Amino acid sequence: MADGREPEGADFAVDISNCDREPIHVPGIIQPFGFLIALTSDWLVSRVSANIGQFIRLTPQDLLGYAISDIFCPDAIHTLRNRITLLRGGDAVERIFSLVLIDGCPPFDVAVHFSGSLVVIEAEPARADEMEATGLVRSMVARLAQTDGMSAFLRDGARQVRALTGFDRVMVYRFAEGGDGEVVAEALRPGIDSFFGLHYPASDIPQQARALYLRNIFRVIADVQAQPVPVVPVLDPSGAALDMSLSLLRAVSPIHIEYLGNMGVGASLSISIIVGGRLWGLFACHHYGPRLPSFAQRSAAELFGQIFSMMLESRERAETADYEGKARQVADRLMSAVAQDNDLLSNARWLGDVIFDTIPAEGVGVYIDGQITLSGLTPDETSFAVLINLLNRTAASQVYTTDNLSGIMPEAAAFADRAAGLLAIPLSRRPRDYVVLFRPEQLRSVRWAGSQEKHIEYGPNGPRLTPRKSFEEWSQLVKGTAVSFTPPELRVAEALRTALLEVVLRLSDSANEERHRAHEKQELLIAELNHRVRNILSVIRGLLSQTRGSAGSVEEFIGTLESRVHALARAHDQITADRWSPARLYDLIEVEAGAYLGERRDRVKLTGPNVLLTPSAFTVMALVIHELLTNAAKYGALSDGGVVSIDWHVDDDGSLLVHWIENGGPAVVAPTRRGFGSTVIERSIPYDLGGKAEVAYRLAGVEAHFCIPSTYVASVLPDIVHKERAQALPDATPELLKGRTVLLVEDNMIIAMDGEDALRDLGAEVMTAASINRAREAIARHKVDLAVLDFNLGNETSLPIADLLTERGISFIFATGYGDGLELPARYSHVTLLKKPYSGATLAQVIAPLIGESQVGH
């Protein structure tokens, strides 16, 4: 029903459609951690949540019908109006951090969007510890781009979302074609059961909920047990309820609350994964108690989810393109052979040998001009003829597939062991000819998360469905069903159909017309592909506008972003090597050249005194040098046989003058536009440091001259820098910790991830805990062989965990960012101290002696 009421009458049958008719987009209630105000087009208050007085000391009666300009301060009105002008599209939401709405009241984090003609403002108290979301997401994306394989990509995505949100469990949930879904990746805190591999029926997420997941990609339920707050009035003068599809505070369906309660969940969060405009799946997050990440954390998680979706689509497209490229070669070979000898088209065995290279199957049947040929595992000729008649009832010239043939042809159950699923490729319109691929049934056990049946209960609104009460895993043996033909396989089948049809029509003197249609279809597919690629690039440019001038594809965007982040990371490593002290300019250029050019870095000539730059200037120069090296390698001296000379000296007033001169490369032409890299080179030093930058595009090579003010020159040492070379640490031993379980106690998300990766590279099984309580749970539940303890865990130290490990005779080391300044208690003066940041090699160096001691002890 449109208004959410169930039909009256005792004859009404309760079935699964009850959930699908629940109007969850107009609940008329919100979650209580914030408040809502809806404004008319002339900015009069039309609706307000009943809890408004808890936040701004005004009752709904004080606001309804009044101009919002009489309530909010002028600066807030100005900011809101400016943000509203940025809304693009029907599903856009703008966010504002720490906005003072009313003079004398604390600031609020605010979200604003349109609901029809209304302006909806949602606000919650701002938190003092707001994070810098953009930089964090960049780091997360850079890590994600380095994963190999789809499983690792999905698993790392779940890890990153859990690290960002702090939820107990984060699942990557993928929808199947039939609407049911499977948990394909998971990250969870120690001590809770895994849901990995469990299936959930389609009815668990009703259709209207799926539609909202496409519109509102981020959803949080902060406290399942919280009492929702009504929005007043419920209906406007025309009798319409407020559409809250895009609302961040929208309260939750009672059926969904009951569902979560059955699972023991206290808070949940979901991020839609949208690929190709369809709902691919979700990041589904559960917490076993109330939890509300900050406004900034939620914004960062939403941004990460959008980038994750684009990266996933890019990976799927790359895999599909590779597969379909190979398939086109098979189609070309098949078409060429059949054109030479049309009798091959009736040779089922030959067709099978060719087609099975790209579309795996166990049997093939061919029906040409009333003649049947079969090869492999297939029905008999009589059953195949019946099947051809059945196929003739389907739409003309379309590839047809089913993974359960007995569902449309009951007598097929008798030969399901040979042919339970099929892919039919029609070769003509009238009369119909076919090539049919067969797959036998695959007996498999599907692990369902509880029974799919729902129970009927009588509640306050009459008979309705309740969510499933049992979430214990149970298995169902699926019989008579074959492995489904995938969408890429269907596209290959369509390509084969087009190729074979062209040959058939040519043999029947109709080739010219069909070629023209095939050409039109190809042009349409190319146009559609171009359209989709442009859409993807437009989204990327909107998310990270500073790279929009240089991205030609998703892969190029990731590579450019990753290289720039790595340049900053390398600079950060150098300035943090000595506790954020000044660092050497020579080291910056040497490391960057080595990372970018490898053995060719001798083509970068360095001369100048041993200058130390402050950290702020060092990071600016890292990006500038990175962009100059990138341009030189792509277009300048380093793209050919030339060299780059970098000379620097300190002038009389203490300012540093740096000269970049390229020689011996191709002729230089000044760029016609300024991209992000050019902007970094020309504006970073003047803008961030108050210095000067001059870039000249001379025919013989680029020349650049920079002046860094003396404020940022820490000192000039007397030694000669160009004779020095840093020694690399030896590689870590990948088998050092094989078969051992290591507890990593670390409260910083990014450091914890790096530590996990470093320990796994050494062969360890890793458990991670961010607090003393989580570490105690891990030690109590699991065998621990070794521990790496971050000494400072925010407001506490890891000494209680060290005491517990000592009692159990478990070796451990302390990791700290305080360096030599950390004073350990006397009882732990002998414990090894590992300075942050640390690499896998340094970790191996300090752990190796502990492993040797434990072996001696055994």
Side-chain angles (χ1 to χ4, degrees), residues 124-420:
E124 61 186 85
R127 301 191 190 180
D129 59 344
E130 295 292 5
M131 55 186 282
E132 199 285 299
T134 304
L136 177 61
V137 172
R138 285 176 180 166
S139 300
M140 295 168 70
V141 170
R143 291 178 57 86
L144 199 61
Q146 296 172 6
T147 57
D148 294 326
M150 187 61 74
S151 296
F153 177 78
L154 298 175
R155 183 173 59 252
D156 202 59
R159 286 176 57 201
Q160 303 241 31
V161 171
R162 180 170 182 263
L164 179 59
T165 63
F167 273 67
D168 289 334
R169 180 196 309 278
V170 175
M171 299 170 285
V172 178
Y173 180 78
R174 180 172 189 174
F175 293 114
E177 290 296 325
D180 58 299
E182 179 185 1
V183 179
V184 295
E186 184 181 47
L188 64 163
R189 70 170 172 84
I192 62 176
D193 295 333
S194 172
F195 286 175
F196 179 73
L198 293 184
H199 289 247
Y200 292 81
S203 58
D204 277 15
I205 302 181
Q207 288 299 322
Q208 78 275 35
R210 294 170 192 257
L212 282 183
Y213 280 129
L214 278 171
R215 296 192 60 197
N216 191 349
I217 66 173
F218 188 90
R219 187 82 170 102
V220 65
I221 304 171
D223 186 352
V224 168
Q225 301 300 325
Q227 187 66 30
V229 176
V231 175
V232 294
V234 176
L235 304 177
D236 65 12
S238 67
L242 177 64
D243 187 335
M244 301 175 68
S245 298
L246 303 179
S247 173
L248 276 63
L249 296 172
R250 172 166 49 88
V252 191
S253 156
I255 294 180
H256 188 58
I257 289 293
E258 195 171 345
Y259 180 94
L260 294 174
N262 291 340
M263 299 182 74
V265 173
S268 76
L269 182 151
S270 64
I271 308 170
S272 303
I273 302 173
I274 300 173
V275 174
R278 65 180 179 86
L279 188 62
W280 183 96
L282 301 169
F283 283 108
C285 311
H286 289 165
H287 203 71
Y288 295 98
R291 182 166 185 82
L292 178 63
S294 71
F295 201 69
Q297 285 176 312
R298 281 142 49 202
S299 298
E302 181 178 356
L303 175 58
F304 175 77
Q306 291 176 292
I307 299 178
F308 179 91
S309 295
M310 288 185 292
M311 294 175 70
L312 174 61
E313 181 167 358
S314 173
R315 287 187 177 230
E316 287 192 340
R317 283 183 181 275
E319 291 178 357
T320 300
D322 181 63
Y323 166 73
E324 292 182 357
K326 296 176 182 177
R328 279 193 297 272
Q329 296 175 2
V330 172
D332 291 343
R333 179 160 58 94
L334 187 149
M335 186 171 65
S336 176
V338 173
Q340 298 278 336
D341 181 3
N342 63 308
D343 290 337
L344 289 174
L345 199 57
S346 301
N347 187 331
R349 177 170 295 179
W350 179 84
L351 277 176
D353 289 343
V354 175
I355 296 175
F356 293 169
D357 285 343
T358 54
I359 308 178
E362 300 298 328
V364 60
V366 179
Y367 183 87
I368 299 288
D369 293 333
Q371 299 297 314
I372 295 175
T373 57
L374 303 169
S375 177
L377 298 179
T378 67
D380 57 33
E381 287 195 11
T382 303
S383 298
F384 187 73
V386 173
L387 177 60
I388 293 299
N389 288 330
L390 180 64
L391 291 174
N392 283 335
R393 303 172 200 166
T394 63
S397 299
Q398 289 186 353
V399 171
Y400 176 81
T401 184
T402 179
D403 61 2
N404 185 11
L405 182 55
S406 60
I408 60 171
M409 182 180 171
E411 56 267 41
F415 51 81
D417 59 329
R418 288 171 286 142

Side-chain angles (χ1 to χ4, degrees), residues 742-747 751 759 767 769 771-772 775-776 779 784 786-793 797-806 810-817 822 824 828 831-836 838 843 847 850:
V742 178
L743 172 64
L744 174 63
V745 181
E746 172 61 62
D747 66 335
I751 296 176
L759 289 167
M767 294 186 300
S771 65
I772 289 177
R776 283 175 173 157
I779 295 170
V784 176
L786 185 69
V788 178
L789 309 180
D790 180 14
F791 186 83
N792 192 326
L793 301 174
T797 71
S798 58
L799 288 176
I801 301 304
D803 294 338
L804 180 59
L805 293 171
T806 301
I810 300 172
S811 299
F812 60 90
I813 61 175
F814 285 117
T816 179
L822 179 66
L824 293 173
Y828 291 129
V831 174
T832 303
L833 196 63
L834 178 63
K835 299 177 185 178
K836 297 180 183 178
Y838 53 83
L843 190 60
I847 286 179
L850 299 181

